[in-house]
Amino acid sequence: MVELLAGTSAACTLLRWYDDNRRTLPWRAPPGTRPDPYHVWLSEVMLQQTTAAAVAPYFARFLERFPSIAALALADEAEVLTLWAGLGYYARARNLSRAARIVAVAGALPRDPVELAKLPGIGAYMAPAIAAIAFDVPVVPVDGNTARVLARRHAVLAPLPRAMREIRALAAAFAVDPAVVARPGDFAQALFDLGATVCRPADPDCPRCPWQKGCAGSAAGIAATLPRKAVKKPRPQRYGAHFWLTDRLGQVLLRRRPSAGLLGGMSELPGTDWRQRPFSRRAALAAAPVKAEWRRLGVVQHGFTHFTLHITLYGANVAAIAAPGFLCASDALAAEALPSVMRKCCDLAALRASGGRAP
Ligand code: SF4
């Protein structure tokens, strides 16, 4: 191992840098120890589309409640979604639940990336990431950080997503380097850390980079412009109306979304479907759960992966609620599996109740 690291290959250089500069993260095993595969899997699922800083408290809470794959396999999906609420991309939580049940029956998480990729929610990126980090299988996973670092180091000029084929080939070439074969998990995490802390998206810190010597993007002065991206189409806009209905006890009417599809199984305030044109007040109120003196509380905007949603929120208070759905005490909303967009609606309703101005 010492001999391997004394080498001059780019992989050796990066691993030496990693040994001195690795980030301390809650899911990362201390140097020289093996990580818990469940922790690696859970962190990789949570880190999809989400930053390490945002994931850390969720990761801790999740492990406290579900300390093992067996515990997660026994859990009700609604409880898993409740612990996931606010992290977004809820299909991840549903897939995690389903996969935990499969793994619990099988006895252990598979080590082979091909077998890992067969589990719900573990795709082309995550399977090699878990295999490398949890089991030291010699593969190099390509996440956004790694793609950026490799595109810059090798001055890949093709735009994403077309460039991914070339970037994956560059990663695969590293996988056979003896230093990477000896420490695949560390090499994968070294690339993540280099991308997160040095080869940053907008401002690569090339003078501080262990790979500056040999970096074609830096030498050509184009590092910050890579990887190039195909021109994006305008982001689709969608519109909806939702209803904050309370009774004299301060309870709020909620309903459960269908288990399949966007935000499946999560709770929400009742409302319209989400469509491409805004709703007039009249069209919106046709979907109200009860007839009442509805007040317009304001508009909530929320970005999903493929569209931006604009929700007009209406509020009313009635003596007693008789409508489909279920009632939740307003001080118990924090424990509900409400997605971020619905939490924004609840925050807006609370703001208006306190006399604050709405957007
Ligand atoms: Fe990224 Fe600069 Fe390092 Fe090249 S030298 S890998 S562009 S930080």
Side-chain angles (χ1 to χ4, degrees), residues 148-150 152-153 194 198-200 204-213 215-219 223-224:
R148 182 170 63 255
V149 171
L150 295 180
R152 288 173 174 173
R153 186 169 194 275
L194 189 69
V198 179
C199 196
R200 298 172 302 229
D205 190 355
C206 300
R208 210 159 61 81
C209 179
W211 272 1
Q212 188 181 22
K213 196 172 149 194
C215 176
S218 181

Side-chain angles (χ1 to χ4, degrees), residues 337-359:
L338 288 163
S340 298
V341 61
M342 287 297 141
R343 295 224 172 265
K344 288 183 185 174
C345 290
C346 296
D347 290 346
L348 172 59
L351 176 76
R352 293 304 308 270
S354 66
R357 285 173 65 85

Side-chain angles (χ1 to χ4, degrees), residues 127-278:
I130 296 169
I133 299 168
F135 303 116
D136 263 344
V137 175
V139 285
V140 177
V142 181
D143 75 338
N145 281 328
T146 299
R148 182 170 63 255
V149 171
L150 295 180
R152 288 173 174 173
R153 186 169 194 275
H154 297 271
V156 175
L157 298 179
L160 292 172
R162 187 155 53 85
M164 281 311 288
R165 178 190 286 258
E166 191 176 344
I167 290 169
R168 285 202 190 95
L170 292 166
F174 271 111
V176 295
D177 184 297
V180 178
V181 172
R183 297 176 59 187
D186 284 347
F187 187 74
Q189 293 174 101
L191 279 168
F192 300 164
D193 284 11
L194 189 69
T197 63
V198 179
C199 196
R200 298 172 302 229
D203 56 342
D205 190 355
C206 300
R208 210 159 61 81
C209 179
W211 272 1
Q212 188 181 22
K213 196 172 149 194
C215 176
S218 181
I222 56 170
T225 69
L226 301 176
R228 297 195 170 145
K229 296 189 176 106
V231 178
K232 277 191 180 167
K233 291 185 195 150
R235 196 174 170 77
Q237 308 293 306
R238 293 217 190 136
Y239 302 85
H242 283 261
F243 301 94
W244 173 263
L245 181 63
T246 52
D247 65 12
R248 63 168 175 260
L249 301 174
Q251 300 178 109
V252 184
L253 179 66
L254 297 178
R255 69 182 180 187
R256 192 87 57 211
R257 289 180 66 83
S259 58
L262 185 65
L263 307 180
M266 305 290 290
S267 305
E268 67 173 5
L269 301 171
T272 63
D273 56 353
W274 300 338
R275 68 181 195 188
Q276 290 169 5
R277 289 177 292 116

Side-chain angles (χ1 to χ4, degrees), residues 58 80-88 90 266 336-340 343:
Y58 284 89
V80 175
L81 284 169
T82 301
L83 276 177
W84 205 273
L87 205 50
Y90 299 96
M266 305 290 290
E336 263 301 319
L338 288 163
S340 298
R343 295 224 172 265

